[in-house]
PDB file of all heavy atoms in Angstrom:
ATOM      1  N   SER U 749      21.998 -37.760 -12.288  1.00 97.00           N
ATOM      2  CA  SER U 749      21.547 -39.129 -12.059  1.00 97.00           C
ATOM      3  C   SER U 749      21.739 -39.979 -13.315  1.00 97.00           C
ATOM      4  O   SER U 749      21.606 -39.484 -14.436  1.00 97.00           O
ATOM      5  CB  SER U 749      20.055 -39.109 -11.686  1.00 97.00           C
ATOM      6  OG  SER U 749      19.536 -40.411 -11.702  1.00 97.00           O
ATOM      7  N   ASN U 750      22.002 -41.258 -13.104  1.00 98.00           N
ATOM      8  CA  ASN U 750      22.057 -42.210 -14.213  1.00 98.00           C
ATOM      9  C   ASN U 750      20.642 -42.573 -14.670  1.00 98.00           C
ATOM     10  O   ASN U 750      20.463 -43.198 -15.698  1.00 98.00           O
ATOM     11  CB  ASN U 750      22.806 -43.473 -13.758  1.00 98.00           C
ATOM     12  CG  ASN U 750      23.079 -44.426 -14.898  1.00 98.00           C
ATOM     13  OD1 ASN U 750      23.475 -44.005 -15.991  1.00 98.00           O
ATOM     14  ND2 ASN U 750      22.845 -45.710 -14.678  1.00 98.00           N
ATOM     15  N   TRP U 751      19.642 -42.180 -13.843  1.00 98.00           N
ATOM     16  CA  TRP U 751      18.243 -42.495 -14.158  1.00 98.00           C
ATOM     17  C   TRP U 751      17.399 -41.213 -14.158  1.00 98.00           C
ATOM     18  O   TRP U 751      16.549 -41.004 -13.282  1.00 98.00           O
ATOM     19  CB  TRP U 751      17.686 -43.497 -13.147  1.00 98.00           C
ATOM     20  CG  TRP U 751      18.371 -44.833 -13.256  1.00 98.00           C
ATOM     21  CD1 TRP U 751      18.104 -45.822 -14.138  1.00 98.00           C
ATOM     22  CD2 TRP U 751      19.454 -45.291 -12.441  1.00 98.00           C
ATOM     23  NE1 TRP U 751      18.955 -46.880 -13.953  1.00 98.00           N
ATOM     24  CE2 TRP U 751      19.797 -46.584 -12.908  1.00 98.00           C
ATOM     25  CE3 TRP U 751      20.181 -44.755 -11.378  1.00 98.00           C
ATOM     26  CZ2 TRP U 751      20.824 -47.337 -12.351  1.00 98.00           C
ATOM     27  CZ3 TRP U 751      21.196 -45.503 -10.824  1.00 98.00           C
ATOM     28  CH2 TRP U 751      21.506 -46.779 -11.305  1.00 98.00           C
ATOM     29  N   PRO U 752      17.653 -40.313 -15.100  1.00 98.00           N
ATOM     30  CA  PRO U 752      16.867 -39.080 -15.128  1.00 98.00           C
ATOM     31  C   PRO U 752      15.393 -39.370 -15.406  1.00 98.00           C
ATOM     32  O   PRO U 752      15.065 -40.351 -16.086  1.00 98.00           O
ATOM     33  CB  PRO U 752      17.477 -38.271 -16.271  1.00 98.00           C
ATOM     34  CG  PRO U 752      18.343 -39.196 -17.033  1.00 98.00           C
ATOM     35  CD  PRO U 752      18.628 -40.396 -16.185  1.00 98.00           C
ATOM     36  N   ALA U 753      14.538 -38.523 -14.870  1.00 98.00           N
ATOM     37  CA  ALA U 753      13.093 -38.744 -15.059  1.00 98.00           C
ATOM     38  C   ALA U 753      12.354 -37.426 -14.917  1.00 98.00           C
ATOM     39  O   ALA U 753      12.815 -36.496 -14.254  1.00 98.00           O
ATOM     40  CB  ALA U 753      12.575 -39.740 -14.028  1.00 98.00           C
ATOM     41  N   ALA U 754      11.204 -37.356 -15.556  1.00 98.00           N
ATOM     42  CA  ALA U 754      10.351 -36.169 -15.451  1.00 98.00           C
ATOM     43  C   ALA U 754       8.918 -36.606 -15.675  1.00 98.00           C
ATOM     44  O   ALA U 754       8.666 -37.655 -16.282  1.00 98.00           O
ATOM     45  CB  ALA U 754      10.752 -35.133 -16.490  1.00 98.00           C
ATOM     46  N   MET U 755       7.983 -35.822 -15.160  1.00 98.00           N
ATOM     47  CA  MET U 755       6.585 -36.156 -15.437  1.00 98.00           C
ATOM     48  C   MET U 755       5.746 -34.907 -15.680  1.00 98.00           C
ATOM     49  O   MET U 755       6.109 -33.803 -15.276  1.00 98.00           O
ATOM     50  CB  MET U 755       5.991 -37.007 -14.320  1.00 98.00           C
ATOM     51  CG  MET U 755       5.820 -36.333 -12.998  1.00 98.00           C
ATOM     52  SD  MET U 755       5.351 -37.520 -11.694  1.00 98.00           S
ATOM     53  CE  MET U 755       3.639 -37.852 -12.093  1.00 98.00           C
ATOM     54  N   PHE U 756       4.646 -35.133 -16.376  1.00 98.00           N
ATOM     55  CA  PHE U 756       3.661 -34.087 -16.648  1.00 98.00           C
ATOM     56  C   PHE U 756       2.369 -34.503 -15.952  1.00 98.00           C
ATOM     57  O   PHE U 756       1.941 -35.652 -16.087  1.00 98.00           O
ATOM     58  CB  PHE U 756       3.374 -33.974 -18.144  1.00 98.00           C
ATOM     59  CG  PHE U 756       4.562 -33.527 -18.962  1.00 98.00           C
ATOM     60  CD1 PHE U 756       5.513 -34.437 -19.396  1.00 98.00           C
ATOM     61  CD2 PHE U 756       4.720 -32.194 -19.305  1.00 98.00           C
ATOM     62  CE1 PHE U 756       6.595 -34.035 -20.153  1.00 98.00           C
ATOM     63  CE2 PHE U 756       5.801 -31.772 -20.065  1.00 98.00           C
ATOM     64  CZ  PHE U 756       6.745 -32.693 -20.491  1.00 98.00           C
ATOM     65  N   VAL U 757       1.746 -33.568 -15.242  1.00 98.00           N
ATOM     66  CA  VAL U 757       0.501 -33.870 -14.533  1.00 98.00           C
ATOM     67  C   VAL U 757      -0.582 -32.940 -15.045  1.00 98.00           C
ATOM     68  O   VAL U 757      -0.385 -31.718 -15.120  1.00 98.00           O
ATOM     69  CB  VAL U 757       0.690 -33.686 -13.008  1.00 98.00           C
ATOM     70  CG1 VAL U 757      -0.599 -34.021 -12.270  1.00 98.00           C
ATOM     71  CG2 VAL U 757       1.836 -34.554 -12.502  1.00 98.00           C
ATOM     72  N   SER U 758      -1.728 -33.534 -15.382  1.00 98.00           N
ATOM     73  CA  SER U 758      -2.811 -32.715 -15.951  1.00 98.00           C
ATOM     74  C   SER U 758      -3.379 -31.786 -14.881  1.00 98.00           C
ATOM     75  O   SER U 758      -3.300 -32.087 -13.689  1.00 98.00           O
ATOM     76  CB  SER U 758      -3.929 -33.611 -16.472  1.00 98.00           C
ATOM     77  OG  SER U 758      -4.597 -34.187 -15.369  1.00 98.00           O
ATOM     78  N   PRO U 759      -3.989 -30.671 -15.300  1.00 93.00           N
ATOM     79  CA  PRO U 759      -4.657 -29.824 -14.323  1.00 93.00           C
ATOM     80  C   PRO U 759      -5.712 -30.666 -13.599  1.00 93.00           C
ATOM     81  O   PRO U 759      -6.461 -31.396 -14.228  1.00 93.00           O
ATOM     82  CB  PRO U 759      -5.329 -28.734 -15.189  1.00 93.00           C
ATOM     83  CG  PRO U 759      -4.633 -28.802 -16.525  1.00 93.00           C
ATOM     84  CD  PRO U 759      -4.122 -30.200 -16.687  1.00 93.00           C
ATOM     85  N   GLY U 760      -5.732 -30.625 -12.284  1.00 96.00           N
ATOM     86  CA  GLY U 760      -6.675 -31.455 -11.523  1.00 96.00           C
ATOM     87  C   GLY U 760      -6.083 -32.811 -11.160  1.00 96.00           C
ATOM     88  O   GLY U 760      -6.704 -33.586 -10.445  1.00 96.00           O
ATOM     89  N   ALA U 761      -4.899 -33.110 -11.647  1.00 98.00           N
ATOM     90  CA  ALA U 761      -4.175 -34.356 -11.321  1.00 98.00           C
ATOM     91  C   ALA U 761      -4.979 -35.620 -11.637  1.00 98.00           C
ATOM     92  O   ALA U 761      -4.896 -36.618 -10.931  1.00 98.00           O
ATOM     93  CB  ALA U 761      -3.739 -34.343  -9.849  1.00 98.00           C
ATOM     94  N   ASP U 762      -5.756 -35.594 -12.713  1.00 98.00           N
ATOM     95  CA  ASP U 762      -6.509 -36.791 -13.092  1.00 98.00           C
ATOM     96  C   ASP U 762      -5.661 -37.747 -13.912  1.00 98.00           C
ATOM     97  O   ASP U 762      -5.928 -38.940 -13.968  1.00 98.00           O
ATOM     98  CB  ASP U 762      -7.751 -36.404 -13.906  1.00 98.00           C
ATOM     99  CG  ASP U 762      -8.792 -35.772 -13.015  1.00 98.00           C
ATOM    100  OD1 ASP U 762      -8.739 -36.033 -11.791  1.00 98.00           O
ATOM    101  OD2 ASP U 762      -9.621 -35.000 -13.515  1.00 98.00           O
ATOM    102  N   SER U 763      -4.698 -37.212 -14.606  1.00 98.00           N
ATOM    103  CA  SER U 763      -3.820 -38.091 -15.375  1.00 98.00           C
ATOM    104  C   SER U 763      -2.430 -37.482 -15.432  1.00 98.00           C
ATOM    105  O   SER U 763      -2.247 -36.284 -15.179  1.00 98.00           O
ATOM    106  CB  SER U 763      -4.379 -38.309 -16.783  1.00 98.00           C
ATOM    107  OG  SER U 763      -4.654 -37.068 -17.364  1.00 98.00           O
ATOM    108  N   ALA U 764      -1.492 -38.337 -15.748  1.00 98.00           N
ATOM    109  CA  ALA U 764      -0.097 -37.889 -15.798  1.00 98.00           C
ATOM    110  C   ALA U 764       0.650 -38.802 -16.752  1.00 98.00           C
ATOM    111  O   ALA U 764       0.172 -39.886 -17.106  1.00 98.00           O
ATOM    112  CB  ALA U 764       0.522 -37.955 -14.402  1.00 98.00           C
ATOM    113  N   VAL U 765       1.810 -38.334 -17.183  1.00 98.00           N
ATOM    114  CA  VAL U 765       2.683 -39.198 -17.979  1.00 98.00           C
ATOM    115  C   VAL U 765       4.100 -39.011 -17.460  1.00 98.00           C
ATOM    116  O   VAL U 765       4.513 -37.897 -17.145  1.00 98.00           O
ATOM    117  CB  VAL U 765       2.540 -38.920 -19.500  1.00 98.00           C
ATOM    118  CG1 VAL U 765       2.793 -37.477 -19.827  1.00 98.00           C
ATOM    119  CG2 VAL U 765       3.453 -39.792 -20.316  1.00 98.00           C
ATOM    120  N   LEU U 766       4.782 -40.126 -17.298  1.00 98.00           N
ATOM    121  CA  LEU U 766       6.112 -40.088 -16.700  1.00 98.00           C
ATOM    122  C   LEU U 766       7.141 -40.645 -17.691  1.00 98.00           C
ATOM    123  O   LEU U 766       6.906 -41.676 -18.316  1.00 98.00           O
ATOM    124  CB  LEU U 766       6.106 -40.908 -15.410  1.00 98.00           C
ATOM    125  CG  LEU U 766       7.389 -40.877 -14.587  1.00 98.00           C
ATOM    126  CD1 LEU U 766       7.071 -40.938 -13.104  1.00 98.00           C
ATOM    127  CD2 LEU U 766       8.322 -42.018 -14.956  1.00 98.00           C
ATOM    128  N   PHE U 767       8.242 -39.939 -17.831  1.00 98.00           N
ATOM    129  CA  PHE U 767       9.344 -40.377 -18.698  1.00 98.00           C
ATOM    130  C   PHE U 767      10.519 -40.725 -17.797  1.00 98.00           C
ATOM    131  O   PHE U 767      10.949 -39.894 -16.992  1.00 98.00           O
ATOM    132  CB  PHE U 767       9.772 -39.253 -19.636  1.00 98.00           C
ATOM    133  CG  PHE U 767       8.704 -38.844 -20.617  1.00 98.00           C
ATOM    134  CD1 PHE U 767       7.740 -37.909 -20.266  1.00 98.00           C
ATOM    135  CD2 PHE U 767       8.669 -39.382 -21.891  1.00 98.00           C
ATOM    136  CE1 PHE U 767       6.759 -37.522 -21.161  1.00 98.00           C
ATOM    137  CE2 PHE U 767       7.689 -39.004 -22.798  1.00 98.00           C
ATOM    138  CZ  PHE U 767       6.733 -38.076 -22.436  1.00 98.00           C
ATOM    139  N   ALA U 768      11.034 -41.944 -17.930  1.00 98.00           N
ATOM    140  CA  ALA U 768      12.193 -42.331 -17.121  1.00 98.00           C
ATOM    141  C   ALA U 768      13.248 -42.932 -18.044  1.00 98.00           C
ATOM    142  O   ALA U 768      12.912 -43.616 -19.022  1.00 98.00           O
ATOM    143  CB  ALA U 768      11.776 -43.336 -16.062  1.00 98.00           C
ATOM    144  N   PHE U 769      14.502 -42.654 -17.737  1.00 98.00           N
ATOM    145  CA  PHE U 769      15.606 -43.075 -18.612  1.00 98.00           C
ATOM    146  C   PHE U 769      16.701 -43.744 -17.793  1.00 98.00           C
ATOM    147  O   PHE U 769      16.958 -43.348 -16.651  1.00 98.00           O
ATOM    148  CB  PHE U 769      16.195 -41.858 -19.331  1.00 98.00           C
ATOM    149  CG  PHE U 769      15.174 -41.092 -20.130  1.00 98.00           C
ATOM    150  CD1 PHE U 769      14.462 -40.036 -19.561  1.00 98.00           C
ATOM    151  CD2 PHE U 769      14.881 -41.441 -21.441  1.00 98.00           C
ATOM    152  CE1 PHE U 769      13.504 -39.336 -20.284  1.00 98.00           C
ATOM    153  CE2 PHE U 769      13.919 -40.747 -22.173  1.00 98.00           C
ATOM    154  CZ  PHE U 769      13.231 -39.694 -21.589  1.00 98.00           C
ATOM    155  N   GLN U 770      17.340 -44.729 -18.403  1.00 98.00           N
ATOM    156  CA  GLN U 770      18.575 -45.282 -17.842  1.00 98.00           C
ATOM    157  C   GLN U 770      19.682 -44.973 -18.854  1.00 98.00           C
ATOM    158  O   GLN U 770      19.590 -45.366 -20.017  1.00 98.00           O
ATOM    159  CB  GLN U 770      18.448 -46.790 -17.645  1.00 98.00           C
ATOM    160  CG  GLN U 770      19.777 -47.466 -17.315  1.00 98.00           C
ATOM    161  CD  GLN U 770      19.615 -48.904 -16.891  1.00 98.00           C
ATOM    162  OE1 GLN U 770      19.320 -49.196 -15.730  1.00 98.00           O
ATOM    163  NE2 GLN U 770      19.785 -49.831 -17.834  1.00 98.00           N
ATOM    164  N   ILE U 771      20.706 -44.250 -18.378  1.00 98.00           N
ATOM    165  CA  ILE U 771      21.786 -43.892 -19.310  1.00 98.00           C
ATOM    166  C   ILE U 771      22.699 -45.101 -19.530  1.00 98.00           C
ATOM    167  O   ILE U 771      22.843 -45.590 -20.639  1.00 98.00           O
ATOM    168  CB  ILE U 771      22.618 -42.696 -18.765  1.00 98.00           C
ATOM    169  CG1 ILE U 771      21.706 -41.522 -18.372  1.00 98.00           C
ATOM    170  CG2 ILE U 771      23.670 -42.270 -19.791  1.00 98.00           C
ATOM    171  CD1 ILE U 771      20.852 -40.984 -19.464  1.00 98.00           C
TER     172      ILE U 771
END
Side-chain angles (χ1 to χ4, degrees):
S749 169
N750 188 43
W751 294 278
M755 68 189 286
F756 295 84
V757 181
S758 71
D762 287 337
S763 52
V765 56
L766 185 145
F767 296 86
F769 303 91
Q770 169 170 277
I771 308 302

